[in-house]
Amino acid sequence: QVQLVESGGGLVQAGDSLRLSCAASGRTFSRYTMGWFRQAPGKVREFVATISSSSGGTTYANSVKGRFTISRDDAGNTVYVFLQMDSLKPEDTAVYYCAARGINTAAYDYWGQGTQVTVSS
């Protein structure tokens, strides 16, 4: 049974930090590229950050570059993916989703249910 479970969301003030976690199990997710996406009210879901399975290379949306850091822990059967979010802004308010993309595929195959992040001004 595939599961991606996000946690760590909450209500914070502008300038604060949050660390989101995603626990991925049920597949060999150590071989998957993992990503974070977000969806704000009334907006389409957008890319936030990814981390590859092999080199651990990372990519970020311009809007979060320099403030957010993605990382992963592949040590056990459950793969953990983290999103450290610093210097949060009200425009970072959204539901944040963890997702997994297999080797040689363009689309993300698995998604979590999301965790709410609300940043007050």
Side-chain angles (χ1 to χ4, degrees):
Q1 178 183 357
V2 174
Q3 284 190 311
L4 278 70
V5 181
E6 302 96 335
S7 61
L11 171 63
V12 297
Q13 294 186 332
D16 286 350
S17 297
L18 273 178
R19 188 188 195 213
L20 304 184
S21 299
C22 171
S25 60
R27 289 289 186 271
T28 310
F29 283 112
S30 57
R31 300 178 183 174
Y32 284 66
T33 291
M34 303 299 294
W36 285 97
F37 293 77
R38 67 186 182 186
Q39 187 167 18
K43 296 189 177 181
V44 298
R45 188 176 297 184
E46 66 175 3
F47 157 76
V48 175
T50 63
I51 184 166
S52 69
S53 60
S54 52
S55 67
T58 58
T59 59
Y60 296 92
N62 287 333
S63 59
V64 306
K65 201 172 293 184
R67 300 187 299 120
F68 290 12
T69 304
I70 188 171
S71 60
R72 64 189 295 160
D73 179 355
D74 296 336
N77 292 329
T78 297
V79 169
Y80 292 92
V81 187
F82 306 102
L83 187 67
Q84 177 66 40
M85 306 187 296
D86 298 321
S87 302
L88 282 162
K89 304 176 181 180
E91 51 263 44
D92 294 319
T93 295
V95 177
Y96 283 72
Y97 297 91
C98 176
R101 177 166 59 88
I103 298 172
N104 298 325
T105 62
Y108 280 79
D109 305 299
Y110 303 106
W111 293 82
Q113 292 301 305
T115 185
Q116 176 71 48
V117 172
T118 303
V119 184
S120 64
S121 58

